Amino acid sequence: MCRLCALTSSEPLSPMKAIEALDVMREGHDGSGVGLFLSDLGGPWEELEGAPILSGIFTNDGLKRLDRFMMEIGFMTKYKLSIKTPKRTPPGVPKRDVYLIRAYELPEEWDQLPPQEIRNRLLGVRLQLREMGQEKQDMIVFSFWPDCIMIKEIGDPMTVAEYLGLDRKELRARIILAQGRQNTNYAINLYACHPFFIQGMATMTNGENTAFVPIREFLSSRGFPGYVGYQSDSEVFTHILHYTQHFLGLGLEHYKHVITPLQDEVLETHPNGPFLKHIKRSCRRLIIDGPNCVIGCLPDKRLFMVQDRKKLRPGVVGGRPGLYAFSSEMCGLDAMIPDRDKSKDIQPMHLDTVIVGANRQEVRLCSQMDTLPPVL
Amino acid sequence: MLSDGHIAPSSLSLRDLPWQVHWSLEKCTLCGRCTTVCPVHAIELGVFRKRILETALGITQAPSNVFKVFYGIRQKTDPAYACIGCGMCSLVCPNDAIMPYRSEEADKLRFHINRGGQPRRRGGRRNVPGGILDRIKFIRISMLTDPALDAGRHEFELRSLLGRVLPPEENLRRLKEDGWIPPVREIYPLIIGGMSFGALSPTMWEGLQMGVAYLNEELGIPVRMCTGEGGCPPRLLRSRFLKYVILQIASGYFGWDEIIHAIPEMKEDPCAIEIKYGQGAKPGDGGLLMWYKVNKLIAAIRGVPPGVSLPSPPTHQTKYSIEEAVAKMIQSMSMAWGFRVPVYPKISGTSTALAVLNNLTRNPYAAGLAIDGEDGGTGAAYNVSMDHMGHPIASNIRDSYLTLVRLGKQNEIPLFAGGGIGKNANLAANAAALIMLGASAVQCGKYIMQATAGCLGSESDRCNVCNIGVCPKGITSQDPRLYRRLDPEKVAERLVDVFLAFDTELKKIVAPLGRSTSLPIGMSDALGIDDPAAAQRLQIAYVV
């Protein structure tokens, strides 16, 4: 099992908040890796609206290749954060040349492009870099998107955070997703490390997806270039979310109906029964099975948590207006927001999706039994 | 015969027959039940003459002998009357005095069952024990990180979809625009395969239908049964139970006059229409109901004169080409029921299955594809077709599924696998293996006959007289003296037993794999086999 925590706050916070929460939940992860997703960024990034930020790990050669490549396609560096690491790496953490977080100016000729085209091109650049990196083992690229930073590394979360000096002003963000990894099925590969990212959406999962192979086959055969990777069975959760929103035009409230549909006899009496039956049938290949707690963030800065059909994984949500946190365990929540009204904590159950909006004023609990908002 | 007597080429001794009937003089009461019940008249009353020497101890009395007569059972050696090993003699014997035993040596009879130049025809199956399905193991057991589910307590929804499932985008678009959405049935993934009214006796058919109705209406398990090519009794066509029935149309069109005329009076739509193009047991050969079984009732339902053999042509003769046949038949059948009923073809396992499948992917009305592998059973076929023709189901289904994956249409056209599922009684394991290889559901006939009615067929050529209407259990006979042996109520009870037990076993397989809320179609990472070549061919793990 992995451990997850997420924060959404009106004021930018240090990612160390989340790392500390992972640290108190260390019984639940084996220190084999940590992944961070930061959005609604504070500090210098706030003024870079629309500038895609590239996050990744590079060798010195890789960095040169990156620069040449980006220059060729017309991207200019707008701002960069250099993470200088101590000479000696702590035990369990590999030696890297460069942890890169760099914002780019979009090429001039992109100015006239429709937003959808820009989104797809940004995805294309990330995939191209990823491919180049895999070819020569000199680049690992996590995200390339405005207002999103991702950091992933092998090792104990606290050790890695201290080593990389994550407690710095420039990394403060209003939304933080963090995962402490328990290495399970697949070899340690940073591309298998949560959170997973596609076009501004990120999700991370505590659990295992036993329906992984058929779901991967479905997504891979959609003909969408972004549905690749799958070094981890949890990556499909991010892509299913993307698919339901981008291709089916469904809302976040529908996500759980796609991955864990209600049983037929319940649908008979559900207010949206006939519609949901169509969703269940045509999206049957996206039904997940097995224990999963999914925490994710949408481009509109909503944070959510979805539970599996049998509630086999822990998850708790709590906080106060202006600051809410999601965590695998209560102790993680306590570490992030000790001074909250604990009686208002929510442990979403097998039918529930929890959503905290961008205004961070309340926690919305959606049950699958509720009437759904209309689909546009 | 006498030692200096005449030997004909087909003169066989008991030793040359596949089955020898052992009989005990000591236990036999001469009641005659065995000779009466024997479906092939392999045994008859024997009058045996026996000489007994009487030699006194002394020398005063001369030795003498007595000739005595005793009565018992004599087994015929004429190839036409060779014992089929059904064991009915033993079943009816009050004293357990008689029993057929299989010869340990290959029989000589096989060289002589072609009298009059007529090759052997029989019912049954391929008679090859074993098979790849039994060797597939489920290796991905959830441990530690993902707890296995509880087959007894967790909720399960092991249902499959029969019908063309639209891609999600297209489905939502048509929903919004009120367009035609192909009919889709939610069914149980074990379908009772096409066994016709005619191939099966009325009592067997009635029993199965009653069992299916009970499973649906009392237990909520949506089991479906295919009629096979033989039409459907008129009352069933006009009853609400028709919705549990898949009507089959095949190249002989038997019974379809009755069906078409009943359409205006139907209270319910049938579950689906299966267009049979081929059958796994006898690929490339049409259906066959031999004259023995075409009595008045069967003749009436099929719309033919009684007492004639009914061989269906190997292909649908009314159409010019197979592509045309598939497209036109699917469309006209869909139209007959106002596009409310899924229509799909059934073909025999073949190396050309992918061509058929590719064709169907481009046909918006095709609701699925059933593929019947070489291990399928039949009520009547030429021995050579059964033994040597056909394609194993596992690789056929796997190739088809992977082709659909490449096209992004997996599960949009559901694949139904048949042929040899449960042939060694491992029904749930075989079904689960095929589902994980890519089948949406499986079709099964032989196991159902064996488990619900005590069919005696085995993988070693036992009984196999389904074709001539002498089924000793009354399963495939049209002779009232025989089929009255079978109580339809009991058949129905056994069918319910079979499905409940299958359901538990299927849960016991999928729960440890961490699956419960959807059928694990194509979950090939769960499969392993101890044969590297098979593993490579099926693209599953090789485990030793």
Side-chain angles (χ1 to χ4, degrees):
Chain A
M1 279 214 278
C2 307
R3 284 296 178 267
L4 316 173
C5 61
L7 276 161
T8 177
S9 155
S10 317
E11 293 305 316
L13 297 173
S14 160
M16 288 310 282
K17 267 269 195 215
I19 299 290
E20 280 158 18
L22 287 181
D23 202 46
V24 300
M25 296 191 285
R26 62 185 317 142
E27 280 172 15
H29 58 84
D30 63 0
S32 62
V34 60
L36 272 175
F37 170 79
L38 310 175
S39 187
D40 211 350
L41 301 168
W45 311 100
E46 263 177 304
E47 284 115 57
L48 300 171
E49 207 180 327
I53 304 169
L54 182 69
S55 310
I57 299 175
F58 294 77
T59 65
N60 289 328
D61 286 344
L63 192 61
K64 282 181 200 144
R65 284 214 300 150
L66 169 77
D67 287 340
R68 274 200 302 276
F69 174 79
M70 294 303 266
M71 203 98 88
E72 260 170 42
I73 57 174
F75 279 94
M76 299 289 287
T77 303
K78 205 169 180 185
Y79 180 82
K80 67 178 175 188
L81 172 66
S82 314
I83 296 183
K84 287 211 173 62
T85 52
K87 285 228 161 52
R88 283 186 54 188
T89 52
V93 181
K95 176 86 186 128
R96 312 279 191 188
D97 290 343
V98 182
Y99 292 88
L100 182 96
I101 303 166
R102 186 184 280 178
Y104 286 94
E105 188 104 53
L106 290 178
E108 263 174 39
E109 60 267 30
W110 287 28
D111 288 349
Q112 305 308 317
L113 294 176
Q116 183 61 40
E117 179 61 24
I118 293 182
R119 286 197 284 270
N120 286 342
R121 285 195 184 193
L122 287 178
L123 172 78
V125 171
R126 173 171 69 83
L127 295 176
Q128 215 171 336
L129 287 172
R130 178 178 167 148
E131 210 167 284
M132 286 165 63
Q134 275 174 327
E135 193 185 325
K136 295 209 170 159
Q137 295 297 308
D138 57 358
M139 309 178 194
I140 306 170
V141 181
F142 304 127
S143 61
F144 183 48
W145 202 257
D147 197 25
C148 293
I149 290 175
M150 291 188 88
I151 298 165
K152 295 181 187 181
E153 187 50 287
I154 297 163
D156 174 68
M158 186 54 91
T159 312
V160 169
E162 283 170 355
Y163 168 65
L164 297 179
L166 296 187
D167 192 16
R168 62 178 80 206
K169 267 207 317 282
E170 302 96 306
L171 283 178
R172 293 198 174 173
R174 293 177 189 85
I175 287 178
I176 302 166
L177 264 58
Q179 191 235 21
R181 184 170 165 74
Q182 168 95 29
N183 197 45
T184 50
N185 276 4
Y186 307 93
I188 299 185
N189 172 334
L190 285 182
Y191 283 127
C193 197
H194 308 225
F196 299 100
F197 176 86
I198 186 163
Q199 293 196 322
M201 290 177 192
T203 73
M204 55 188 180
T205 313
N206 172 10
E208 191 149 359
N209 177 12
T210 45
F212 169 57
V213 168
I215 296 176
R216 178 186 63 189
E217 283 169 351
F218 176 82
L219 290 167
S220 310
S221 57
R222 289 311 93 190
F224 182 72
Y227 298 156
V228 290
Y230 307 122
Q231 271 80 4
S232 160
D233 58 358
S234 295
E235 191 162 14
V236 298
F237 291 97
T238 322
H239 293 182
I240 295 172
L241 179 67
H242 182 272
Y243 179 73
T244 56
Q245 303 222 334
H246 281 247
F247 288 91
L248 304 185
L250 300 177
L252 186 54
E253 294 84 356
H254 294 88
Y255 181 50
K256 191 160 166 44
H257 283 287
V258 172
I259 57 173
T260 64
L262 292 170
Q263 292 221 316
D264 289 344
E265 57 261 35
V266 182
L267 288 180
E268 293 298 330
T269 55
H270 192 283
N272 303 99
F275 175 74
L276 289 176
K277 239 182 188 168
H278 281 285
I279 295 277
K280 181 177 177 179
R281 280 180 185 171
S282 62
C283 297
R284 180 171 58 147
R285 292 151 288 182
L286 296 174
I287 297 174
I288 63 157
D289 241 336
N292 292 286
C293 169
V294 185
I295 295 179
C297 172
L298 290 177
D300 63 8
K301 313 302 173 201
R302 276 184 295 168
L303 207 60
F304 69 91
M305 177 189 281
V306 173
Q307 284 292 344
D308 67 74
R309 179 75 193 155
K310 297 183 181 61
K311 176 70 187 175
L312 284 168
R313 279 288 185 270
V316 59
V317 178
R320 54 172 185 270
L323 177 63
Y324 286 98
F326 295 30
S327 173
S328 294
E329 289 181 54
M330 202 71 89
C331 61
L333 193 56
D334 288 345
M336 288 183 282
I337 315 178
D339 53 343
R340 68 188 193 281
D341 179 356
K342 290 187 189 179
S343 69
K344 291 193 174 145
D345 286 355
I346 294 170
Q347 296 201 30
M349 298 309 284
H350 68 295
L351 294 172
D352 298 335
T353 304
V354 168
I355 303 170
V356 178
N359 60 5
R360 301 161 180 109
Q361 287 307 301
E362 58 172 6
V363 178
R364 215 178 111 213
L365 190 66
C366 309
S367 165
Q368 272 182 285
M369 306 304 281
D370 297 345
T371 306
L372 287 162
V375 180
L376 298 174
Chain B
M1 64 167 263
L2 296 173
S3 52
D4 60 351
H6 172 74
I7 293 181
S10 293
S11 294
L12 301 178
S13 74
L14 287 177
R15 189 77 188 83
D16 301 325
L17 298 180
W19 299 90
Q20 282 90 38
V21 180
H22 293 204
W23 161 79
S24 159
L25 173 62
E26 219 169 77
K27 290 191 196 169
C28 179
T29 62
L30 299 178
C31 66
R33 288 186 194 175
C34 54
T35 51
T36 313
V37 82
C38 179
V40 292
H41 308 294
I43 45 174
E44 60 189 348
L45 174 72
V47 181
F48 300 91
R49 183 164 170 267
K50 189 175 181 185
R51 176 184 172 201
I52 296 168
L53 291 176
E54 288 183 345
T55 50
L57 280 176
I59 53 165
T60 51
Q61 209 176 339
S64 66
N65 57 34
V66 190
F67 286 92
K68 285 192 173 173
V69 167
F70 69 94
Y71 302 96
I73 300 298
R74 191 187 295 278
Q75 182 180 359
K76 296 180 195 169
T77 55
D78 184 326
Y81 299 98
C83 171
I84 54 171
C86 69
M88 288 303 286
C89 49
S90 150
L91 187 73
V92 297
C93 180
N95 281 7
D96 304 329
I98 188 166
M99 175 95 76
Y101 285 89
R102 198 184 173 87
S103 173
E104 81 283 3
E105 195 204 58
D107 63 82
K108 300 292 172 292
L109 177 69
R110 63 187 66 181
F111 301 105
H112 300 277
I113 339 178
N114 52 7
R115 280 184 169 177
Q118 188 66 262
R120 185 182 182 198
R121 287 167 296 179
R122 62 180 177 91
R125 72 284 305 287
R126 197 164 63 106
N127 292 332
V128 177
I132 203 86
L133 293 179
D134 285 331
R135 292 169 60 193
I136 295 177
K137 306 170 216 287
F138 307 100
I139 55 167
R140 192 204 179 284
I141 313 299
S142 294
M143 285 285 135
L144 218 64
T145 59
D146 56 328
L149 300 171
D150 187 332
R153 295 181 191 86
H154 274 123
E155 63 168 16
F156 282 82
E157 198 163 60
L158 301 173
R159 300 281 184 270
S160 197
L161 299 180
L162 193 178
R164 186 62 165 266
V165 179
L166 294 174
E169 296 96 313
E170 182 64 13
N171 194 326
L172 292 184
R173 189 182 67 75
R174 292 202 198 173
L175 199 58
K176 209 182 286 177
E177 296 169 3
D178 214 12
W180 178 68
I181 294 174
V184 175
R185 311 279 195 237
E186 282 201 24
I187 62 165
Y188 195 71
L190 176 64
I191 301 167
I192 304 175
M195 295 180 283
S196 72
F197 189 94
L200 295 185
S201 67
T203 41
M204 181 65 187
W205 230 72
E206 188 186 356
L208 291 178
Q209 290 293 352
M210 277 197 287
V212 168
Y214 187 89
L215 284 162
N216 277 281
E217 308 218 331
E218 298 296 325
L219 300 176
I221 305 177
V223 176
R224 299 293 178 260
M225 173 174 161
C226 178
T227 59
E229 185 196 12
C232 188
R235 275 181 62 198
L236 181 57
L237 286 173
R238 291 165 179 82
S239 78
R240 68 189 159 93
F241 303 108
L242 185 64
K243 59 177 180 280
Y244 310 136
V245 174
I246 298 170
L247 294 173
Q248 190 187 79
I249 182 164
S251 54
Y253 305 114
F254 294 123
W256 273 80
D257 196 41
E258 181 71 42
I259 293 173
I260 295 294
H261 282 102
I263 289 180
E265 292 161 33
M266 284 180 185
K267 290 192 185 73
E268 297 269 359
D269 288 333
C271 166
I273 309 296
E274 181 176 274
I275 307 174
K276 188 184 96 174
Y277 289 93
Q279 191 177 337
K282 43 177 169 177
D285 210 358
L288 174 60
L289 191 69
M290 290 175 72
W291 63 269
Y292 309 86
K293 295 168 77 170
V294 186
N295 63 15
K296 266 172 81 177
L297 174 68
I298 303 302
I301 290 178
R302 296 195 173 202
V304 294
V308 295
S309 283
L310 303 179
S312 301
T315 57
H316 290 254
Q317 299 290 308
T318 50
K319 299 290 177 348
Y320 170 66
S321 70
I322 186 80
E323 293 85 356
E324 199 183 330
V326 174
K328 280 192 180 165
M329 283 198 72
I330 290 175
Q331 205 160 343
S332 35
M333 283 294 142
S334 300
M335 210 180 302
W337 274 273
F339 297 90
R340 300 185 309 272
V341 177
V343 181
Y344 65 91
K346 170 184 168 178
I347 60 169
S348 58
T350 161
S351 56
T352 58
L354 291 183
V356 177
L357 182 65
N358 284 327
N359 205 285
L360 295 182
T361 57
R362 287 186 282 274
N363 181 341
Y365 303 108
L369 176 65
I371 305 179
D372 192 14
E374 61 173 354
D375 275 320
T378 178
Y382 282 88
N383 188 62
V384 68
S385 304
M386 244 187 273
D387 287 0
H388 302 286
M389 307 287 293
H391 195 293
I393 187 62
S395 58
N396 236 185
I397 276 292
R398 189 70 181 138
D399 290 350
S400 300
Y401 178 76
L402 291 174
T403 297
L404 290 177
V405 168
R406 274 190 288 278
L407 296 171
K409 288 184 182 293
Q410 63 276 33
N411 301 335
E412 286 178 16
I413 297 184
L415 299 168
F416 303 107
I421 293 139
K423 79 181 220 184
N424 298 311
N426 306 313
L427 185 63
N430 292 173
L434 281 166
I435 287 169
M436 291 180 211
L437 287 174
S440 283
V442 297
Q443 296 185 325
C444 171
K446 295 193 302 287
Y447 184 97
I448 299 291
M449 294 211 293
Q450 287 176 302
T452 65
C455 165
L456 302 164
S458 69
E459 292 300 331
S460 45
D461 205 3
R462 187 176 166 196
C463 202
N464 287 350
V465 286
C466 336
N467 56 326
I468 51 171
V470 294
C471 173
K473 291 293 189 86
I475 303 167
T476 63
S477 170
Q478 300 303 337
D479 181 344
R481 292 170 301 181
L482 294 176
Y483 67 65
R484 277 182 199 147
R485 288 175 185 169
L486 197 62
D487 181 349
E489 301 274 351
K490 299 284 180 223
V491 171
E493 278 176 34
R494 284 293 299 142
L495 188 75
V496 173
D497 288 347
V498 166
F499 272 87
L500 291 180
F502 174 85
D503 194 57
T504 302
E505 285 198 338
L506 192 59
K507 286 177 189 168
K508 285 282 175 194
I509 293 170
V510 300
L513 308 178
R515 298 300 300 269
S516 66
T517 47
S518 74
L519 205 62
I521 300 167
M523 186 189 175
S524 54
D525 57 326
L527 300 180
I529 193 165
D530 59 359
D531 178 330
Q536 193 185 8
R537 181 69 182 76
L538 297 175
Q539 299 188 29
I540 60 177
Y542 165 52
V543 287
V544 280

